[in-house]
């Protein structure tokens, strides 16, 4: 399905359409990764030099990881790929962070391009090889994902390699509140703390939405049940979903423009 695309401007409706398209006819994670980088214009840089080379290296990483993750997903025994932390979730996060980057006008700011590439790199890699379930200690599964990609991460340029690693590690849910507090009352800028918030928002944005949220809660409950996580019994219940919705935070101007706080409020009853 080579026609898959995410055409700017990207509002919630066009984001939802792209995510629904991926569900209706799976194009493969490499196709979605390419659509995201093309949507942001990252592969069409006219400027040469270190910034161009850094972006090109990060885009190669994005495609390589997408190919490896697609292969891993295809090799799962039928029905045993994690019900939530799977290729579709990675696609959701890539598409959503692309929408948020558009909302922050990344395509119009040359200085934003390497940060946009780093966000895509973290999005495609943040749950690589996720076995299902939850951390038993801080950064456990996030570190495992990063370490599993050593053959690809070694080709990333510094300082972006360290920044991408930090973005991935701080998708640990226990760090999210602190990540939002770090940028509280600060204007958006292309910095690691703000890009961390964009990635955290992308990680849960569809789960917080009225259209996709209930189904994703059920998928998480199914995954947790298989992994023996006790909270599987309540995570998708009305009480469990309300607890989740009350805990989510959206701080970036892009997330606010997509109307996520209003969608969350509609579900709090």
């Amino acid at each position: 399905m080579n026609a898959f695309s995410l055409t700017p401007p990207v509002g919630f409706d066009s984001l939802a359409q792209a995510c629904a398209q991926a569900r209706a006819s799976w194009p493969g994670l490499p196709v979605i990764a390419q659509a995201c980088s093309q949507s942001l214009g990252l592969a069409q840089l006219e400027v040469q030099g270190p910034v161009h080379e850094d972006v090109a290296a990060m885009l190669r990483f994005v495609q390589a990881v997408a190919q490896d993750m697609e292969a891993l997903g295809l090799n799962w025994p039928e029905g045993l790929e994690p019900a939530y932390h799977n290729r579709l979730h990675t696609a959701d996060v890539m598409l959503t962070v692309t929408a948020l980057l558009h909302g922050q006008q990344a395509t119009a700011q040359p200085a934003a391009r390497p940060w946009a590439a780093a966000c895509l790199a973290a999005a495609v890699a943040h749950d690589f090889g996720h076995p299902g379930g939850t951390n038993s200690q801080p950064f456990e599964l996030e570190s495992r994902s990063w370490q599993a990609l050593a053959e690809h991460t070694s080709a990333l340029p510094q300082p972006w390699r360290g920044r991408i690693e930090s973005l991935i590690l701080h998708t640990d849910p226990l760090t999210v509140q602190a990540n939002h507090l770090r940028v509280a009352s600060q204007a958006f800028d292309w910095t690691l703390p703000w890009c961390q918030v964009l990635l955290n928002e992308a990680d849960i944005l569809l789960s917080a939405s009225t259209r996709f949220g209930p189904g994703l809660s059920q998928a998480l409950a199914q995954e947790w049940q298989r992994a023996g996580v006790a909270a599987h019994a309540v995570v998708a219940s009305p009480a469990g979903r309300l607890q989740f919705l009350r805990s989510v935070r959206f701080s970036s101007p892009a997330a606010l423009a997509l109307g996520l706080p209003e969608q969350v409020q509609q579900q709090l009853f």
Side-chain angles (χ1 to χ4, degrees), residues 91-108:
D92 286 344
V93 177
M94 293 196 75
L95 291 165
T96 302
V97 84
T98 299
L100 293 172
L101 289 165
H102 274 295
Q104 297 300 153
Q105 300 183 323
T107 58

Side-chain angles (χ1 to χ4, degrees), residues 53-65 114 117-118 120-122 124-125 146 149-165 168:
E53 293 167 4
D54 287 352
V55 170
M58 286 187 276
L59 292 184
R60 288 193 295 270
F61 174 85
V62 168
Q63 286 301 131
V65 175
L120 280 183
V124 74
W146 180 254
L149 292 167
E151 66 173 297
H152 299 308
T153 60
S154 62
L156 287 169
Q158 287 289 18
W160 297 102
R161 185 190 313 159
R163 290 167 176 167
I164 294 166
E165 179 181 11
I168 290 171

Side-chain angles (χ1 to χ4, degrees), residues 235-251:
V235 69
S237 68
R241 181 146 181 84
L242 284 174
Q243 182 179 1
F244 163 71
L245 291 169
R246 291 184 180 122
S247 72
V248 299
R249 296 189 64 171
F250 293 104
S251 300

Side-chain angles (χ1 to χ4, degrees), residues 1 21-30 32 70 74 87-89 91:
M1 183 177 171
Q21 184 181 354
R23 286 159 167 76
S25 182
W26 178 246
L29 204 56
I32 290 174
E70 183 71 15
L74 292 172
R87 288 169 288 163
L88 182 59
H89 171 67

Side-chain angles (χ1 to χ4, degrees), residues 215-248:
L216 290 170
S217 293
Q218 292 293 336
L220 187 61
Q222 180 183 339
E223 176 181 304
W224 282 4
Q225 183 176 21
R226 182 178 294 157
V229 178
H232 79 85
V234 298
V235 69
S237 68
R241 181 146 181 84
L242 284 174
Q243 182 179 1
F244 163 71
L245 291 169
R246 291 184 180 122
S247 72
V248 299

